[in-house]
Amino acid sequence: MRHKLFLFVALVFIAASCTKTELPVEQSDTGILTLTAVMPSTESQTRVALEKDPDNKNIVVRWKAGDKVLLFFQKPDGSVVAGDEPTITIVPDTDSKKATFDVILPAGVTAPCTVYLVHGATAATDGSKIEVDVSPVGFKKLDELVTPLTGKVEVVSGSSVGAIPLHHLGALQCLTLVNYWENAFTATLELSYTAGDEWFYKAGSKYDLISESVTNIGSGTTPWQEVSVPATQAVLFAQWVMPNGNIPPVIGLKAGSLVSSNQKPARSAGLDRGRAYHLYGSANYYHTDLKFAEPLVWAGSNIYWNGTQLTFDETVVDAGAGSDLKQGVFFKWGSLVGVSPSLSYVTYTPIYVMGGASSWISGATPYNSILDFYGANISGGGQTNTYLNDTQQNTDFMYLTSRGDICKYLSKTGAVEGNWRMPTGADFNAAGIAEHAMVGWSTNSLPWSRFGTFATVSGAEADGTTLVGSGGTYTVGHAVSRFPASGYRDHNGMLLSIGTYGDNWSSSIFTGTDMAFHMVFVFSGFYPVYYFDRRYGFPVRCVRE
């Protein structure tokens, strides 16, 4: 007897529920039974043609021409019979989210019975169990990955209206890998962890659909595979696993002979079936270092004067209107005194009150009279150095002399909410480019790409709120920030290069007495970590601690 099954699939990778639906059946005159299988819209999306939703981090699933499903039939006595492996037919005008296929009941199987469906995995029956292979899959591109879906329906007498809810047997571990060099990066990609700490079932494991339990715990290794990332691009890979209830431990990243220089901490809970978990990693500019990306939360603008105090936008208020492209006021390295980025010379000086309400005054303090950290001597400086972030530079005494980390000062005095700090030199340098080295702009936005014409801007406002339409976009993981070409003041306070030259101070000191690190760019390229005279005036973009 032939029966036709209509399969409808909705689409998002979120936790799935397994429900049981009785399907009344009435044989028609033609002997064709119409069934409907539905994945609820709240289900996680994980099969067939997988792709990333451009508006969020969801993984979208669509049926693909030529896909097949495995069918099994359980009779009232509990015995199980394998059915055919029909090929689906995509329903037109459904964005490949619905499909139909014909079902032929095996000999000796009649209603009532239970129909089980398996898609995306091998499965077999011994007559009493339906065992699905739930071995982990190594990292693959989304369009190469198949993720197991299962469902069941009770076939009983009655009308021909019903549904087969589908659910996920596992979770996706997604890794966006960035290649910051101009050559392709190709290697076998894997997660590293202490043997025995697996948070998923190992190769060879079997899951029984009848008892809804793992009936065989495998001991095989994960089949990691070679992947390739084109020059200066990012590729999203995904690995399918079936969670075993254990909490994922500290993990590292391996790619061929490279081992990540940092690790991801242990999670606080295990993985849930039907969810996608995202990691971000990168191979540096020289292909000598591999690490997990640690995207920072950058402030939504440079520091500016709002009429009563120095402050900044904590988030991007209106990217379309360019709120993140405020020019910002300038600071000598380590000074808390803001200096206008305009021909009209104005200074903004903090009046720090220990344990009380601090305030600001505007005036015109001579540039060379503004205190900074020029002359502070240190050995062992470098782009990871945190000199201005350190406690010693952020004491009451330092604040009374208008020196310290301006971001920490604004946090402490309530100009902004939360805790903020100045970025280190390394925070500007996700690609791991050598200090004082210039590189060209990336055409793929990774990590730095150029926008605007870099034309000279005139008529800048003294408060730093002028919007500068040229600059650089910095992309690390899922974090994207724009930095305007704000110009600068030289060591004597001369205003230069608004619209054609962009820089931002870091908190990192260079070995010696007169240099510190900043990020700088021009139309032809950028220096992620360039050391320069601490007396120069550059904008500051804070990062959240």
Side-chain angles (χ1 to χ4, degrees):
M1 178 184 296
R2 294 182 63 85
H3 299 74
K4 177 165 283 189
L5 178 70
F6 288 97
L7 182 60
F8 295 85
V9 183
L11 314 160
V12 194
F13 222 122
I14 306 168
S17 61
C18 178
T19 59
K20 175 180 176 182
T21 301
E22 290 191 349
L23 179 59
V25 173
E26 180 178 1
Q27 184 172 336
S28 69
D29 294 338
T30 61
I32 295 178
L33 176 70
T34 301
L35 309 180
T36 304
V38 181
M39 181 184 291
S41 60
T42 55
E43 282 281 337
S44 305
Q45 308 168 357
T46 138
R47 164 45 196 150
V48 202
L50 291 170
E51 63 185 54
K52 184 178 182 298
D53 189 321
D55 297 324
N56 51 53
K57 295 194 291 185
N58 290 340
I59 305 300
V60 178
V61 61
R62 291 182 173 85
W63 288 102
K64 193 175 182 180
D67 280 335
K68 295 185 177 184
V69 294
L70 296 174
L71 297 176
F72 298 87
F73 302 83
Q74 186 184 38
K75 297 190 288 186
D77 63 3
S79 62
V80 178
V81 177
D84 289 340
E85 187 179 4
T87 300
I88 62 95
T89 299
I90 296 174
V91 177
D93 302 320
T94 63
D95 198 23
S96 299
K97 298 175 184 178
K98 299 181 182 180
T100 65
F101 52 88
D102 291 336
V103 176
I104 300 177
L105 295 179
V109 177
T110 59
C113 65
T114 304
V115 180
Y116 287 87
L117 177 152
V118 178
H119 176 75
T122 59
T125 180
D126 63 358
S128 62
K129 299 189 296 289
I130 303 172
E131 291 188 317
V132 182
D133 188 339
V134 290
S135 299
V137 177
F139 285 114
K140 295 182 177 183
K141 290 184 178 180
L142 284 181
D143 60 0
E144 299 172 353
L145 184 66
V146 178
T147 60
L149 298 173
T150 64
K152 71 176 182 179
V153 62
E154 305 288 347
V155 178
V156 297
S157 298
S159 65
S160 58
V161 178
I164 300 179
L166 303 181
H167 68 280
H168 298 280
L169 287 182
L172 290 185
Q173 297 185 139
C174 300
L175 173 68
T176 300
L177 185 64
V178 181
N179 173 20
Y180 286 127
W181 201 31
E182 56 190 13
N183 292 335
F185 180 79
T186 302
T188 299
L189 184 65
E190 60 184 281
L191 298 178
S192 62
Y193 53 91
T194 302
D197 285 348
E198 288 81 7
W199 58 100
F200 51 86
Y201 288 103
K202 300 176 72 173
S205 297
K206 307 290 185 183
Y207 178 83
D208 175 34
L209 296 183
I210 303 295
S211 63
E212 298 183 354
S213 63
V214 175
T215 51
N216 182 69
I217 298 178
S219 60
T221 58
T222 302
W224 303 110
Q225 302 177 55
E226 185 177 84
V227 302
S228 185
V229 183
T232 64
Q233 292 188 34
V235 175
L236 174 59
F237 299 102
Q239 174 197 18
W240 185 89
V241 297
M242 184 175 188
N244 62 9
N246 294 336
I247 295 175
V250 173
I251 59 173
L253 188 62
K254 291 180 64 178
S257 61
L258 293 180
V259 179
S260 58
S261 56
N262 61 350
Q263 295 179 309
K264 296 296 291 185
R267 286 180 52 84
S268 59
L271 305 186
D272 293 326
R273 295 186 197 177
R275 290 190 178 273
Y277 297 85
H278 291 264
L279 298 169
Y280 299 88
S282 63
N284 74 347
Y285 186 75
Y286 307 100
H287 286 185
T288 58
D289 184 44
L290 184 73
K291 67 179 181 180
F292 284 110
E294 298 172 340
L296 296 170
V297 177
W298 291 89
S301 72
N302 290 336
I303 296 172
Y304 61 91
W305 176 253
N306 70 357
T308 58
Q309 63 182 354
L310 290 182
T311 188
F312 56 84
D313 297 338
E314 296 165 29
T315 60
V316 178
V317 176
D318 188 344
S323 67
D324 54 334
L325 301 181
K326 294 184 183 71
Q327 183 184 12
V329 298
F330 297 154
F331 298 88
K332 298 169 74 173
W333 191 72
S335 173
L336 303 180
V337 178
V339 182
S340 63
S342 60
L343 293 176
S344 174
Y345 183 82
V346 182
T347 56
Y348 307 101
T349 304
I351 306 300
Y352 179 66
V353 178
M354 292 186 294
S358 299
S359 60
W360 294 83
I361 58 171
S362 60
T365 304
Y367 191 81
N368 290 328
S369 297
I370 297 173
L371 294 179
D372 52 38
F373 282 95
Y374 188 82
N377 194 3
I378 187 174
S379 59
Q383 61 178 291
T384 60
N385 180 276
T386 58
Y387 185 85
L388 285 184
N389 307 139
D390 295 343
T391 301
Q392 297 92 319
Q393 279 65 253
N394 292 279
T395 62
D396 288 335
F397 170 76
M398 287 294 183
Y399 289 166
L400 288 169
T401 62
S402 298
R403 291 184 295 169
D405 179 333
I406 180 61
C407 301
K408 284 181 172 288
Y409 182 84
L410 295 178
S411 300
K412 181 173 183 176
T413 57
V416 291
E417 293 185 1
N419 296 317
W420 299 80
R421 63 170 174 84
M422 289 178 64
T424 64
D427 289 338
F428 290 110
N429 192 19
I433 295 168
E435 296 171 1
H436 229 258
M438 181 180 183
V439 293
W441 295 104
S442 167
T443 58
N444 295 301
S445 302
L446 298 171
W448 283 95
S449 61
R450 182 182 64 204
F451 64 88
T453 61
F454 281 70
T456 298
V457 174
S458 58
E461 299 293 336
D463 59 8
T465 61
T466 298
L467 303 183
V468 179
S470 300
T473 300
Y474 187 38
T475 303
V476 180
H478 61 273
V480 181
S481 300
R482 295 193 297 178
F483 292 79
S486 299
Y488 63 94
R489 288 188 182 272
D490 71 9
H491 65 286
N492 288 318
M494 181 177 293
L495 182 66
L496 299 165
S497 305
I498 301 174
T500 63
Y501 201 102
D503 354 51
N504 282 78
W505 273 127
S506 81
S507 64
S508 302
I509 198 168
F510 185 70
T511 299
T513 61
D514 57 356
M515 298 283 186
F517 286 100
H518 75 302
M519 174 274 295
V520 57
F521 56 79
V522 292
F523 182 81
S524 57
F526 65 99
Y527 298 82
V529 278
Y530 194 90
Y531 42 88
F532 212 68
D533 191 320
R534 301 173 199 166
R535 295 171 294 180
Y536 273 58
F538 299 141
V540 170
R541 180 72 65 91
C542 301
V543 295
R544 189 181 292 278
E545 289 197 285

